[in-house]
Structures are given as C-alpha cells and as structure tokens.
Amino acid sequence: MKVSVNATINTHKILVTPLVLLMMWYFNNWSAAAFLYLSLHGTYTMLWLVKQNIYPDKNFGQKIPLRAAIVLFILLEGYCLAPYLLISQHSEVPQWAFAVAPCIFVIGIFFHYVGDAQKYFVLKVQKGLIEDGLFTTTRNPNYLGEILIYLGLTLLSWHWLPLLNLGGWIIYFFYNMNKKDQSMSRHDGFANYKAHTGQLFPRIF
C-alpha cells in the first residue's frame, strides 16, 4: 500500500488545530499566548490547504510506502513540540514576543506562499530559470518563508527544544536546496544567477 506525500502532510496540518485545542483543554491553559499560537498555526494550515488546491507542489504528489508515510508523519509531528511546551508548562511569554513572533511569522507567510505561487505559475508558461520577483535575490524564497514561519511559532513557545526540531528540518531543506542547484545548473546562465543570489537569504548588496 502506498500513500501520497501530499496526503501525509495534509493530514498532519489538519490535525494541528484540534490537537492544540485539546492541549489547551487538557492543561487548562486559555492564555493569550496559547490562543495566539492556535490562531497563527491554524491560519497557516488553512492557507496551506488553499495553496495545495490552487497551486500544489508536484513533488508532493509522489506516492511512498505506508511505512515511509508513517515515519514522515511522525517527523512532522515534531512541530507540535512547540505548542505542547507552551501550553503544558503554562509558559510566561514576554510581551515583546507577542509583537516579534507574529512579525516573523507573517514575513514567512509572504515569502513561502508568494514564492511558491510565482514558481508554479511561471513554470506552467515557461520552463527554465526564474530570475525576477522574489527570486531576484534568493534562489529559495519558499524555503526561507517556511523557516521564518516555524521560527515565529518556535519563539512563541518560549522554549529552546523546538529549535532542535527546526534545526533538523533546516538541514533537510539545505539538502533539497543543494539538489535543486545541481538540477538548475544545466540551464544556461545559472552560474551568473548563482553568483548574484543567495541560496536561502536574499543577497541584497
């Protein structure tokens, strides 16, 4: 039996909101920080499902064995460590984090979803390098966005452990980005494009 990567990821994301609500009920934590986390991660889930319906990532359409899907699902559940620590420990989140965490999160949402949209619709019309828009200064605005999204959520948890989970995923993201660079190197002009862009962070100067 095989399951699509897309179905595995979607299942994880759909379960986040009820799981966070269950944590809030079980630990009797109805704090502003818990509700803010619920709102931010829940919104991310809704936008993800809209994106997957309008401009899905074709790589997520591949099917993998059920055992591999279960392992992937368990790894994705590592992102639930942040709300668990925040809610179970009744963490006292400093006031400044209520401003900084949503700011980082929203910037991440912009880079992630706009970057994916640009890549999807441009490649439908013309294959090759994308060198304008969000890809003018960074070759991976979508990965940058995803990292910022979870960095904002991690900050809101006010615990260092979720940083380890995020760090593991960042290593995986760089593995994928290196593979992407190798694939794009077959296109004319890639060497010049690579010299003027950052692999992850925008090369502004």
Side-chain angles (χ1 to χ4, degrees):
M1 180 179 179
K2 291 191 174 184
V3 181
S4 71
V5 174
N6 194 39
T8 306
I9 295 175
N10 288 352
T11 301
H12 154 71
K13 293 189 182 296
I14 290 171
L15 289 175
V16 167
T17 296
L19 184 58
V20 173
L21 278 170
L22 182 62
M23 291 179 190
M24 292 170 67
W25 169 79
Y26 183 79
F27 294 106
N28 193 29
N29 186 341
W30 309 101
S31 64
F35 271 112
L36 179 57
Y37 188 97
L38 175 67
S39 174
L40 293 179
H41 210 148
T43 300
Y44 172 47
T45 295
M46 289 187 291
L47 291 175
W48 174 272
L49 295 175
V50 170
K51 178 192 97 73
Q52 288 299 88
N53 185 57
I54 298 175
Y55 51 101
D57 190 322
K58 66 177 183 179
N59 293 325
F60 292 158
Q62 62 177 312
K63 292 193 174 184
I64 56 177
L66 180 60
R67 284 181 295 181
I70 293 173
V71 171
L72 173 59
F73 181 82
I74 293 172
L75 291 174
L76 289 169
E77 286 304 293
Y79 282 123
C80 292
L81 183 62
Y84 171 76
L85 291 170
L86 168 67
I87 296 168
S88 65
Q89 297 189 0
H90 292 257
S91 302
E92 292 291 334
V93 180
Q95 293 183 352
W96 61 264
F98 281 83
V100 176
C103 180
I104 295 173
F105 175 86
V106 170
I107 293 172
I109 288 288
F110 173 78
F111 274 100
H112 181 46
Y113 290 117
V114 174
D116 272 352
Q118 181 182 356
K119 180 178 70 173
Y120 179 85
F121 290 108
V122 168
L123 292 180
K124 282 190 69 173
V125 177
Q126 181 178 347
K127 304 297 182 182
L129 297 177
I130 304 175
E131 302 180 58
D132 57 0
L134 288 187
F135 292 82
T136 303
T137 57
T138 171
R139 301 192 296 281
N140 295 282
N142 45 347
Y143 277 123
L144 173 61
E146 189 160 2
I147 291 170
L148 291 176
I149 287 169
Y150 283 108
L151 182 60
L153 295 174
T154 296
L155 174 59
L156 192 58
S157 75
W158 202 241
H159 201 286
W160 60 270
L161 270 177
L163 283 173
L164 297 181
N165 177 69
L166 179 59
W169 281 104
I170 290 174
I171 293 173
Y172 175 69
F173 293 159
F174 270 102
Y175 170 77
N176 282 342
M177 286 187 283
N178 288 332
K179 286 180 59 178
K180 178 183 173 184
D181 276 353
Q182 293 175 3
S183 177
M184 291 194 302
S185 64
R186 71 183 188 277
H187 297 292
D188 293 336
F190 175 74
N192 181 63
Y193 175 56
K194 182 179 179 181
H196 291 86
T197 56
Q199 187 177 36
L200 180 65
F201 295 105
R203 184 170 294 178
I204 301 174
F205 301 104

